[in-house]
Amino acid sequence: MARRYWLMKTEPESFSISDLARASAETTFWDGVRNYQARNLIRDEMMVGDGVLFYHSNANPPAVVGTAEVVRAGYPDPTQFDPQSHHYDADARPAEPRWYMIDVKLGQVFKRAVGLPELRAHPALEEMVLLRKGSRLSVQPVTAKEWSTVVKLGASKAGPRS
């Protein structure tokens, strides 16, 4: 199966790409997703080797700041069963888990963040799910063309042209 690509949103004050870079072996789990559509992508679609655009939401401006790679496919998120966790779900059962997570490993930290305004202005990204009105999912598919465009932008030293 061909490598697929994703964009995953995180609030940098909760977990940033710098936190991922500091993690043991630059690898960590991605837990706490509590949206059924995003859960389905994690559980059913994301595979080991898939690329991830690491997106800092709730930043000024929100931006893609680097890449990661899926190193463990979807598996039950144990926080759903822990009453002490803020991700606890009283209706989740171990025999029938409701929520899933993946493990990711840092790919690269971009030389510069690629902000939402720049993404919106780039013609090759006009169909990107992130840029669609009302698109709020924390996990979104990205095409190979969108992936390569964003990675190229993040690797460049120069920002967008005025």
PDB file of all heavy atoms in Angstrom, residues 122-132 141 143 146:
ATOM      1  N   HIS A 122      -1.184  29.806  -1.192  1.00  0.00           N
ATOM      2  CA  HIS A 122      -0.437  28.975  -2.136  1.00  0.00           C
ATOM      3  C   HIS A 122      -1.388  28.223  -3.068  1.00  0.00           C
ATOM      4  O   HIS A 122      -2.217  27.436  -2.622  1.00  0.00           O
ATOM      5  CB  HIS A 122       0.462  27.987  -1.392  1.00  0.00           C
ATOM      6  CG  HIS A 122       1.586  27.506  -2.216  1.00  0.00           C
ATOM      7  ND1 HIS A 122       1.410  26.655  -3.277  1.00  0.00           N
ATOM      8  CD2 HIS A 122       2.907  27.785  -2.162  1.00  0.00           C
ATOM      9  CE1 HIS A 122       2.577  26.403  -3.835  1.00  0.00           C
ATOM     10  NE2 HIS A 122       3.508  27.083  -3.169  1.00  0.00           N
ATOM     11  N   PRO A 123      -1.270  28.422  -4.389  1.00  0.00           N
ATOM     12  CA  PRO A 123      -2.196  27.794  -5.343  1.00  0.00           C
ATOM     13  C   PRO A 123      -2.227  26.262  -5.274  1.00  0.00           C
ATOM     14  O   PRO A 123      -3.283  25.666  -5.472  1.00  0.00           O
ATOM     15  CB  PRO A 123      -1.685  28.259  -6.719  1.00  0.00           C
ATOM     16  CG  PRO A 123      -0.851  29.466  -6.438  1.00  0.00           C
ATOM     17  CD  PRO A 123      -0.308  29.318  -5.050  1.00  0.00           C
ATOM     18  N   ALA A 124      -1.109  25.634  -4.982  1.00  0.00           N
ATOM     19  CA  ALA A 124      -1.070  24.167  -4.943  1.00  0.00           C
ATOM     20  C   ALA A 124      -1.830  23.596  -3.755  1.00  0.00           C
ATOM     21  O   ALA A 124      -2.085  22.391  -3.699  1.00  0.00           O
ATOM     22  CB  ALA A 124       0.379  23.681  -4.913  1.00  0.00           C
ATOM     23  N   LEU A 125      -2.219  24.449  -2.817  1.00  0.00           N
ATOM     24  CA  LEU A 125      -2.879  23.983  -1.599  1.00  0.00           C
ATOM     25  C   LEU A 125      -4.356  24.368  -1.528  1.00  0.00           C
ATOM     26  O   LEU A 125      -5.004  24.152  -0.506  1.00  0.00           O
ATOM     27  CB  LEU A 125      -2.139  24.532  -0.370  1.00  0.00           C
ATOM     28  CG  LEU A 125      -0.659  24.165  -0.286  1.00  0.00           C
ATOM     29  CD1 LEU A 125      -0.006  24.869   0.892  1.00  0.00           C
ATOM     30  CD2 LEU A 125      -0.470  22.660  -0.217  1.00  0.00           C
ATOM     31  N   GLU A 126      -4.900  24.895  -2.628  1.00  0.00           N
ATOM     32  CA  GLU A 126      -6.257  25.432  -2.584  1.00  0.00           C
ATOM     33  C   GLU A 126      -7.324  24.394  -2.239  1.00  0.00           C
ATOM     34  O   GLU A 126      -8.387  24.746  -1.738  1.00  0.00           O
ATOM     35  CB  GLU A 126      -6.602  26.156  -3.881  1.00  0.00           C
ATOM     36  CG  GLU A 126      -6.628  25.278  -5.110  1.00  0.00           C
ATOM     37  CD  GLU A 126      -6.782  26.086  -6.384  1.00  0.00           C
ATOM     38  OE1 GLU A 126      -6.682  27.328  -6.343  1.00  0.00           O
ATOM     39  OE2 GLU A 126      -7.007  25.465  -7.431  1.00  0.00           O
ATOM     40  N   GLU A 127      -7.054  23.107  -2.445  1.00  0.00           N
ATOM     41  CA  GLU A 127      -8.028  22.050  -2.124  1.00  0.00           C
ATOM     42  C   GLU A 127      -7.735  21.368  -0.793  1.00  0.00           C
ATOM     43  O   GLU A 127      -8.442  20.422  -0.404  1.00  0.00           O
ATOM     44  CB  GLU A 127      -8.052  21.005  -3.238  1.00  0.00           C
ATOM     45  CG  GLU A 127      -8.512  21.545  -4.582  1.00  0.00           C
ATOM     46  CD  GLU A 127      -9.954  22.033  -4.548  1.00  0.00           C
ATOM     47  OE1 GLU A 127     -10.797  21.355  -3.916  1.00  0.00           O
ATOM     48  OE2 GLU A 127     -10.239  23.087  -5.129  1.00  0.00           O
ATOM     49  N   MET A 128      -6.732  21.821  -0.078  1.00  0.00           N
ATOM     50  CA  MET A 128      -6.330  21.187   1.178  1.00  0.00           C
ATOM     51  C   MET A 128      -7.486  21.201   2.183  1.00  0.00           C
ATOM     52  O   MET A 128      -8.143  22.224   2.380  1.00  0.00           O
ATOM     53  CB  MET A 128      -5.114  21.928   1.742  1.00  0.00           C
ATOM     54  CG  MET A 128      -4.419  21.235   2.852  1.00  0.00           C
ATOM     55  SD  MET A 128      -2.869  22.126   3.224  1.00  0.00           S
ATOM     56  CE  MET A 128      -2.114  20.955   4.327  1.00  0.00           C
ATOM     57  N   VAL A 129      -7.732  20.061   2.833  1.00  0.00           N
ATOM     58  CA  VAL A 129      -8.836  19.938   3.785  1.00  0.00           C
ATOM     59  C   VAL A 129      -8.745  21.016   4.862  1.00  0.00           C
ATOM     60  O   VAL A 129      -9.751  21.629   5.235  1.00  0.00           O
ATOM     61  CB  VAL A 129      -8.863  18.523   4.417  1.00  0.00           C
ATOM     62  CG1 VAL A 129      -9.868  18.447   5.543  1.00  0.00           C
ATOM     63  CG2 VAL A 129      -9.156  17.470   3.359  1.00  0.00           C
ATOM     64  N   LEU A 130      -7.560  21.275   5.358  1.00  0.00           N
ATOM     65  CA  LEU A 130      -7.356  22.279   6.406  1.00  0.00           C
ATOM     66  C   LEU A 130      -7.945  23.631   6.035  1.00  0.00           C
ATOM     67  O   LEU A 130      -8.426  24.361   6.891  1.00  0.00           O
ATOM     68  CB  LEU A 130      -5.853  22.437   6.683  1.00  0.00           C
ATOM     69  CG  LEU A 130      -5.445  23.519   7.675  1.00  0.00           C
ATOM     70  CD1 LEU A 130      -5.871  23.130   9.084  1.00  0.00           C
ATOM     71  CD2 LEU A 130      -3.953  23.769   7.597  1.00  0.00           C
ATOM     72  N   LEU A 131      -7.913  23.960   4.747  1.00  0.00           N
ATOM     73  CA  LEU A 131      -8.307  25.288   4.300  1.00  0.00           C
ATOM     74  C   LEU A 131      -9.789  25.398   3.946  1.00  0.00           C
ATOM     75  O   LEU A 131     -10.254  26.481   3.598  1.00  0.00           O
ATOM     76  CB  LEU A 131      -7.439  25.692   3.099  1.00  0.00           C
ATOM     77  CG  LEU A 131      -5.927  25.607   3.349  1.00  0.00           C
ATOM     78  CD1 LEU A 131      -5.157  25.991   2.104  1.00  0.00           C
ATOM     79  CD2 LEU A 131      -5.516  26.441   4.538  1.00  0.00           C
ATOM     80  N   ARG A 132     -10.510  24.306   4.058  1.00  0.00           N
ATOM     81  CA  ARG A 132     -11.943  24.331   3.768  1.00  0.00           C
ATOM     82  C   ARG A 132     -12.700  24.977   4.921  1.00  0.00           C
ATOM     83  O   ARG A 132     -12.388  24.764   6.093  1.00  0.00           O
ATOM     84  CB  ARG A 132     -12.476  22.921   3.549  1.00  0.00           C
ATOM     85  CG  ARG A 132     -11.928  22.291   2.295  1.00  0.00           C
ATOM     86  CD  ARG A 132     -12.506  20.920   2.078  1.00  0.00           C
ATOM     87  NE  ARG A 132     -11.788  20.260   1.003  1.00  0.00           N
ATOM     88  CZ  ARG A 132     -11.730  18.949   0.857  1.00  0.00           C
ATOM     89  NH1 ARG A 132     -12.362  18.150   1.700  1.00  0.00           N
ATOM     90  NH2 ARG A 132     -11.050  18.435  -0.141  1.00  0.00           N
ATOM     91  N   PRO A 141      -6.700  14.082   6.225  1.00  0.00           N
ATOM     92  CA  PRO A 141      -5.872  13.571   5.133  1.00  0.00           C
ATOM     93  C   PRO A 141      -5.212  14.724   4.362  1.00  0.00           C
ATOM     94  O   PRO A 141      -5.741  15.834   4.294  1.00  0.00           O
ATOM     95  CB  PRO A 141      -6.866  12.824   4.247  1.00  0.00           C
ATOM     96  CG  PRO A 141      -8.192  13.434   4.559  1.00  0.00           C
ATOM     97  CD  PRO A 141      -8.128  13.916   5.976  1.00  0.00           C
ATOM     98  N   THR A 143      -2.901  15.231   0.609  1.00  0.00           N
ATOM     99  CA  THR A 143      -2.432  14.554  -0.608  1.00  0.00           C
ATOM    100  C   THR A 143      -0.906  14.587  -0.670  1.00  0.00           C
ATOM    101  O   THR A 143      -0.253  15.393   0.002  1.00  0.00           O
ATOM    102  CB  THR A 143      -2.993  15.227  -1.876  1.00  0.00           C
ATOM    103  OG1 THR A 143      -2.407  16.529  -2.001  1.00  0.00           O
ATOM    104  CG2 THR A 143      -4.518  15.319  -1.850  1.00  0.00           C
ATOM    105  N   GLU A 146       0.191  18.016  -1.710  1.00  0.00           N
ATOM    106  CA  GLU A 146       0.119  18.980  -0.610  1.00  0.00           C
ATOM    107  C   GLU A 146       1.274  18.760   0.364  1.00  0.00           C
ATOM    108  O   GLU A 146       1.922  19.712   0.813  1.00  0.00           O
ATOM    109  CB  GLU A 146      -1.221  18.855   0.115  1.00  0.00           C
ATOM    110  CG  GLU A 146      -2.392  19.310  -0.730  1.00  0.00           C
ATOM    111  CD  GLU A 146      -3.739  18.841  -0.223  1.00  0.00           C
ATOM    112  OE1 GLU A 146      -3.803  17.965   0.679  1.00  0.00           O
ATOM    113  OE2 GLU A 146      -4.760  19.340  -0.745  1.00  0.00           O
TER     114      GLU A 146
END
